[in-house]
Amino acid sequence: MVFSSLTFIVLFLPIFLFAYFCVPQRYVKMRNFVLLVFSLLFYAAGEPVWVLLLIFSAASDCLIGLFMERFQGRWQSKVLLVLSMCCNLGVLVVFKYTEFLLGLVGINIDFAPVLPIGISFYTFQTMSYSIDLYRGRIKAQRNPIAFLTYVAMFPPLIAGPIIRYADIQHMLAARATSISKVSEGVSRFAMGLGKKVIFANHAGAVSSELLAYGGSSTLAVWVGIIMFMFQIYFDFSGYSDMAIGLGKIIGFDFLENFNYPYTAKTITDFWRRWHISLGTFFREYLYLPIGGNRKRAVFNIMFVWMITGLWHGASLNFVAWGMYFGVILLIEKYLLRKVLAKTPAFFSHVYCLGVVLFGWLLFYFTDAGQFAHAVRNFLGLGGLLYDYRAVDLLLANLWILPIFAMFSTRAPIRILENVKVYLPVAEPLLNFAVLGVGVMLMIGQTFSPFIYFRF
């Protein structure tokens, strides 16, 4: 089940909210139980068998955490942390990387199990709990229902943002809902749904056609990868908006996951704005522990970005994608920092978007042959500068590209804030319109994947 489906919008969500708000606000444990039951149903609607894996992952870390706190500061605590890491990383390796790793040593098999949806997100959440507990930053959660609720709650379960236990532990024990907070949550959910259903799905349909088999011409690759650039932003940030909005409706405040990354002027700034929860996780739990900037900074940056690429998928193109950005970040850090600081904003912005655009080309193609073909076309070396289908799609979408660009900035929010001064009902009317259009589009659309589900 996905948020941008009629089943979720007209059936699951209304029933869940009715059941949730039937429980008085002071009975937080009961609300946690309702949230847990519906979260497990939500996950089971897509992959029933993997609910057991989710429960096992949560239960093992909850139990290990109790013993870890008991042996705080002693060698047993470190052993338990290693056990927790082995359980979590072991699950990831078995289900996500087995076929890839065996392929690297020449053993080609078709590994049968389908990758459990959201496994990279919830295993990182349970890992953050164990590490923070070992460091003494949090107390062990003794209520298994509360802990399983943290791991399984459906708003961020499938595609993030990655929620650290330390950030919401107090909300599991006590949280308040209000009309204003529910209204804020509805607005955020509507904004995310609009990004996904109205923008991302359209951009994705165009990019899929133009980038098929590496693209048929230079124009096809350029238009296709620009459309993919918008698709992946609206798709992922839209999902994050919906998750954050749903969280607010039920009393949770999740941290932001995107901060208008396409307005960045450097790659360093871009990655501070894109998938913030993942960047924070790798910084706190990998980059700083292995030395950060204190020693072997070059190695540390490249290692972290190799792992970042692998996190996105068990394929060499994702490794190359991660290493590509690692190299760019090192170049900015040691060679271009002062130059970019003095460069006019327009040119630094063009530089940043150009680097990101080529990065998405690396990200998109998992087949090396198709990628090589796409790069030749991207550089104008493929022999065909344009084809009629690419021209048709470009002309048909010229009107929407400026809209995509505008909605990748703060401009729409600023416009809405100004309009609300004179027309207070503008926001609820807009929410109603977006939700209505979204539902109508969902009835007819068949192209509606969430890109980050596969990670």
Side-chain angles (χ1 to χ4, degrees):
M1 191 185 304
V2 296
F3 293 166
S4 58
S5 68
L6 289 175
T7 303
F8 179 82
I9 296 293
V10 304
L11 185 63
F12 180 90
L13 186 58
I15 294 174
F16 161 69
L17 292 177
F18 176 78
Y20 186 84
F21 285 108
C22 276
V23 179
Q25 190 163 263
R26 63 182 180 274
Y27 298 119
V28 177
K29 290 183 179 180
M30 182 56 68
R31 282 193 165 185
N32 285 344
F33 181 74
V34 172
L35 175 57
L36 173 59
V37 170
F38 276 87
S39 295
L40 295 177
L41 289 173
F42 175 86
Y43 195 83
E47 296 181 344
V49 66
W50 297 130
V51 171
L52 298 177
L53 181 65
L54 174 66
I55 294 173
F56 166 78
S57 180
S60 60
D61 278 300
C62 184
L63 182 61
I64 290 172
L66 294 176
F67 286 101
M68 192 182 297
E69 186 174 61
R70 180 180 178 183
F71 294 111
Q72 190 72 48
R74 297 157 63 180
W75 66 268
Q76 292 95 330
S77 180
K78 183 175 291 187
V79 171
L80 290 166
L81 175 63
V82 171
L83 177 61
S84 173
M85 295 300 99
C86 288
C87 288
N88 286 292
L89 294 176
V91 166
L92 269 181
V93 169
V94 168
F95 286 95
K96 191 170 182 177
Y97 300 107
T98 298
E99 189 173 335
F100 171 71
L101 293 174
L102 290 176
L104 292 179
V105 296
I107 303 175
N108 297 313
I109 64 168
D110 184 13
F111 193 56
V114 176
L115 180 67
I117 292 175
I119 188 172
S120 296
F121 290 92
Y122 70 72
T123 52
F124 271 29
Q125 291 189 177
T126 55
M127 286 169 62
S128 75
Y129 170 79
S130 297
I131 296 171
D132 284 344
L133 186 59
Y134 172 77
R135 292 173 174 176
R137 295 180 177 178
I138 58 174
K139 297 293 184 181
Q141 175 57 257
R142 299 184 178 279
N143 185 329
I145 298 298
F147 186 79
L148 187 53
T149 300
Y150 155 67
V151 176
M153 68 170 73
F154 72 86
L157 175 62
I158 303 299
I162 298 169
I163 309 298
R164 294 189 299 176
Y165 179 80
D167 294 328
I168 68 164
Q169 57 180 329
H170 61 286
M171 301 175 207
L172 291 167
R175 59 184 179 272
T177 54
S178 63
I179 296 298
S180 61
K181 197 166 185 177
V182 169
S183 176
E184 184 182 356
V186 170
S187 295
R188 193 65 183 271
F189 181 85
M191 179 172 67
L193 185 67
K195 282 181 177 181
K196 167 59 185 169
V197 177
I198 300 174
F199 291 164
N201 287 357
H202 178 80
V206 176
S207 67
S208 294
E209 180 174 351
L210 290 177
L211 295 177
Y213 308 107
S216 54
S217 67
T218 296
L219 182 64
V221 170
W222 273 89
V223 176
I225 205 62
I226 288 172
M227 281 295 192
F228 178 73
M229 179 179 73
F230 285 122
Q231 179 199 4
I232 196 169
Y233 170 68
F234 289 126
D235 186 280
F236 194 16
S237 69
Y239 191 97
S240 293
D241 286 337
M242 286 188 277
I244 291 169
L246 289 170
K248 288 184 180 299
I249 291 173
I250 59 177
F252 288 92
D253 290 306
F254 302 143
L255 297 179
E256 294 296 331
N257 209 24
F258 286 85
N259 184 22
Y260 305 100
Y262 291 153
T263 64
K265 298 179 179 66
T266 66
I267 297 303
T268 303
D269 188 33
F270 175 85
W271 285 110
R272 289 176 182 146
R273 295 166 175 267
W274 181 280
H275 203 349
I276 298 170
S277 63
L278 181 66
T280 301
F281 182 93
F282 278 126
R283 181 180 182 275
E284 292 292 325
Y285 303 113
L286 184 57
Y287 182 65
L288 293 179
I290 64 176
N293 288 326
R294 300 189 308 276
K295 55 182 180 180
R296 302 177 304 172
V298 173
F299 171 82
N300 293 342
I301 289 173
M302 292 305 297
F303 179 72
V304 168
W305 277 94
M306 180 188 72
I307 299 300
T308 301
L310 271 176
W311 180 88
H312 283 84
S315 176
L316 289 177
N317 75 294
F318 291 116
V319 177
W321 175 78
M323 301 293 278
Y324 165 77
F325 278 109
V327 170
I328 298 296
L329 289 169
L330 285 173
I331 292 173
E332 286 192 358
K333 180 179 179 68
Y334 292 109
L335 298 176
L336 295 182
R337 179 184 297 176
K338 294 181 179 179
V339 175
L340 290 172
K342 296 177 182 178
T343 302
F346 173 79
F347 294 106
S348 60
H349 184 61
V350 170
Y351 146 78
C352 182
L353 287 180
V355 172
V356 169
L357 198 63
F358 187 80
W360 289 136
L361 204 63
L362 261 174
F363 189 93
Y364 186 90
F365 292 102
T366 57
D367 181 271
Q370 290 183 16
F371 171 71
H373 180 70
V375 170
R376 287 195 295 270
N377 279 327
F378 185 81
L379 298 175
L381 304 175
L384 190 62
L385 293 180
Y386 67 92
D387 62 271
Y388 291 114
R389 184 54 180 161
V391 172
D392 286 343
L393 287 174
L394 174 61
L395 294 176
N397 287 279
L398 275 178
W399 66 275
I400 204 170
L401 287 172
I403 296 175
F404 284 172
M406 184 180 71
F407 275 86
S408 300
T409 71
R410 297 180 187 274
I413 299 297
R414 291 172 178 166
I415 293 171
L416 180 60
E417 292 298 325
N418 290 329
V419 171
K420 283 165 59 178
V421 174
Y422 304 99
L423 186 64
V425 297
E427 188 167 6
L429 287 176
L430 179 62
N431 293 338
F432 181 79
V434 170
L435 290 172
V437 171
V439 169
M440 287 189 291
L441 288 175
M442 280 185 279
I443 294 174
Q445 284 182 346
T446 57
F447 185 91
S448 186
F450 268 121
I451 294 176
Y452 269 71
F453 273 13
R454 59 180 175 172
F455 308 137

